[in-house]
Amino acid sequence: RACDQLRCTACDFRVSLFNDYIWDQSCDYLFFRNNMPDFSKLRAKMIKKKGARAYACQCSWRSIDELTDLQTEQQLRWVCGKH
């Protein structure tokens, strides 16, 4: 089950999600730090991909195109904000 209210415990920022997009490989920490959560700025490094989802906070980002357990991603500090 997907949580739609993820929060990052590292940067204390809400994780944004974008359906049918993935992040360009040129994305880096400063790009997200400077542009989150402004979709019009983020879009510069987004690639359309049907069925995928792009996630990002101010310090981490992921492109997901299959069911993924984020708890196995040790470097991510994302927790569900619904609890």
Side-chain angles (χ1 to χ4, degrees), residues 26-71:
S26 67
C27 289
D28 61 13
Y29 172 82
L30 282 177
F31 172 75
F32 291 102
R33 191 77 186 160
N34 292 326
N35 296 306
M36 279 301 289
D38 188 337
F39 178 75
S40 62
K41 292 180 180 178
L42 294 170
R43 183 125 191 221
K45 293 199 181 225
M46 297 172 96
I47 300 167
K48 273 278 207 195
K49 184 174 182 186
K50 188 148 180 71
R53 186 177 281 168
Y55 291 88
C57 59
Q58 276 196 324
C59 68
S60 300
W61 61 96
R62 287 292 177 280
S63 296
I64 306 293
D65 58 6
E66 62 185 27
L67 193 59
T68 303
D69 184 355
L70 292 177
Q71 291 178 331

Side-chain angles (χ1 to χ4, degrees), residues 14-26:
R14 184 169 178 194
V15 178
S16 295
L17 59 96
F18 306 96
N19 290 319
D20 298 323
Y21 286 100
I22 58 172
W23 297 115
D24 186 85
Q25 289 189 345
S26 67

